[in-house]
Amino acid sequence: MKRLLALTLAVLMALSMASCGSPASSSAAPAASTPAPEAPAESAPAKDLHFVYVSPLLAHPVWLLAKDGFDQACTELGIQGDWVGPQNISPEEMAKLIETAVAQKADAIITQGLVPAAPVKLATEAGIPVLVVDSDIPDVDRLAFFGKDVDIQAKLLLDAAEAKLGKDTPIKCSIQVAALNYQIAHDQIDAIKKAFEAHTAGFEVVSITESKSDKMKATTEWQNTFKAYPEVNLAINLAAEAGPACAKVVEEMSIRDKVAVYGVDDVEETLDLIRNNGLDGTVATSFYNYGYQAAYWLYQNITEGKTPKMILNDAGTIMITKDNVENYADALKVKVDL
């Protein structure tokens, strides 16, 4: 009976609806032009939908921004939304949570690219649409990827560093990531190295460290870095907790005037440091839309048969500095319907 109802609704909607529209990011064009798969032949009723969001970090401040967006979308759409994930980075636990969502016959899943491909394939093979955010899983049939454009991020960091240090100053850089055993870290580092080739005075990455998503470890790693490499004049932090940790260390070591410090994400501690000159800037993408926009895209796919025009979509990548810290937020909360 449910299948008959779904088929009937699909026919009626096909007669009454125009073809799906094109997606857009909140502040930038799509990151790539990979076409999305064709819309499914059937669409589902809007009632009683159950979405599961498998976050890589259940209660990390930056991922709680995504939870806020997800919760808001679920409230507006009248669907059941479950926010789940490990307390600490664990692809294995994420995999188990996706398998549980499949067993529960969830209607849609949102997740992040640290999870192995196998459970995501299990979900898509079961007919459950999956939208991936933040870090892609390119070898699965996901509905779309919604994340940061690492090339835009790298160019923003180059422009900011040259404005801070000067185009004629050789740059000695240290980079901290959450974990080096994930592709997203290498993608970001490679993009930075490529972009900074344009710095004609010379650029060198003298060290790369890991925070393991732990602020205490991030702090220790930066202390060790500045002791071992006192020539570092650019500190790039590619994990949310790393920027504040680095800011604390450069302040305690009284080297703030010689080191340009940049972070990622727009957690409140980072924004306060920018306001008070503890950080020079932070590169942000819309974690809020990782929840809000992602849920809407899946909802429109299920209920209206629409798909994003592109698989790879930039969520909007911007540099937040003292000049725009008070008015950037609305630009990262723009919803674009399919």
Side-chain angles (χ1 to χ4, degrees):
M1 180 62 70
K2 289 183 177 180
R3 181 173 179 81
L4 178 59
L5 176 58
L7 286 169
T8 302
L9 287 171
V11 172
L12 291 173
M13 292 173 71
L15 292 173
S16 61
M17 293 182 59
S19 60
C20 63
S22 299
S25 66
S26 56
S27 64
S33 58
T34 307
E38 293 183 1
E42 300 180 11
S43 55
K47 63 181 181 179
D48 302 326
L49 291 178
H50 175 210
F51 287 10
V52 177
Y53 201 121
V54 181
S55 164
L57 290 166
L58 184 69
H60 192 286
V62 72
W63 282 100
L64 291 179
L65 297 174
K67 182 179 186 299
D68 288 344
F70 180 62
D71 290 346
Q72 181 64 33
C74 290
T75 297
E76 292 175 6
L77 296 170
I79 62 178
Q80 177 188 346
D82 289 340
W83 175 268
V84 298
Q87 290 288 350
N88 300 300
I89 289 178
S90 173
E92 296 78 15
E93 187 172 342
M94 291 175 70
K96 291 177 182 178
L97 290 166
I98 288 180
E99 290 167 355
T100 298
V102 173
Q104 292 174 341
K105 298 183 179 180
D107 293 290
I109 295 171
I110 304 169
T111 193
Q112 193 257 11
L114 295 184
V115 70
V120 179
K121 289 180 179 178
L122 181 68
T124 59
E125 288 169 359
I128 301 172
V130 177
L131 195 147
V132 181
V133 302
D134 188 53
S135 175
D136 198 14
I137 312 174
D139 55 346
V140 301
D141 188 22
R142 68 270 192 245
L143 175 69
F145 168 69
F146 192 52
K148 179 189 292 182
D149 188 314
V150 297
D151 293 322
I152 293 176
Q153 172 178 259
K155 182 61 165 60
L156 289 170
L157 287 166
L158 170 63
D159 292 344
E162 288 188 333
K164 175 73 175 181
L165 300 173
K167 290 189 176 183
D168 297 328
T169 301
I171 294 178
K172 303 291 185 179
C173 176
S174 182
I175 300 173
Q176 186 169 112
V177 299
L180 280 166
N181 56 330
Y182 298 118
Q183 188 60 43
I184 183 62
H186 295 280
D187 291 344
Q188 293 181 93
I189 292 168
D190 290 345
I192 288 168
K193 289 179 177 178
K194 182 178 179 180
F196 275 75
E197 289 176 358
H199 184 68
T200 56
F203 171 76
E204 180 185 0
V205 176
V206 299
S207 73
I208 299 173
T209 59
E210 301 172 287
S211 71
K212 297 296 185 182
S213 298
D214 181 84
K215 190 175 180 181
M216 185 175 294
K217 178 171 175 56
T219 301
T220 300
E221 291 293 342
W222 276 118
Q223 289 170 340
N224 294 338
T225 293
F226 289 121
K227 289 176 183 177
Y229 304 99
E231 68 272 24
V232 167
N233 59 0
L234 173 61
I236 295 177
N237 297 273
L238 301 176
E241 66 286 333
C246 185
K248 177 182 178 182
V249 172
V250 298
E251 181 67 26
E252 290 177 346
M253 296 180 70
S254 300
I255 56 174
R256 180 69 183 96
D257 60 340
K258 71 175 286 286
V259 181
V261 183
Y262 296 93
V264 292
D265 304 331
D266 54 337
V267 296
E268 195 57 41
E269 182 179 14
T270 296
L271 299 178
D272 283 342
L273 283 164
I274 290 172
R275 294 182 182 104
N276 296 309
N277 299 312
L279 279 170
D280 293 295
T282 187
V283 179
T285 191
S286 183
F287 271 75
Y288 181 87
N289 270 348
Y290 282 0
Y292 189 77
Q293 181 81 81
Y296 262 92
W297 282 6
L298 285 164
Y299 180 85
Q300 290 175 314
N301 173 254
I302 293 170
T303 62
E304 302 175 39
K306 294 183 176 181
T307 61
K309 187 175 182 180
M310 307 296 178
I311 288 181
L312 304 181
N313 299 271
D314 181 28
T317 306
I318 66 172
M319 174 69 78
I320 302 170
T321 67
K322 198 168 185 178
D323 292 336
N324 66 347
V325 67
E326 304 302 343
N327 57 24
Y328 80 93
D330 287 345
L332 294 181
K333 292 186 178 181
V334 176
K335 179 175 73 72
V336 178
D337 290 324
L338 298 178

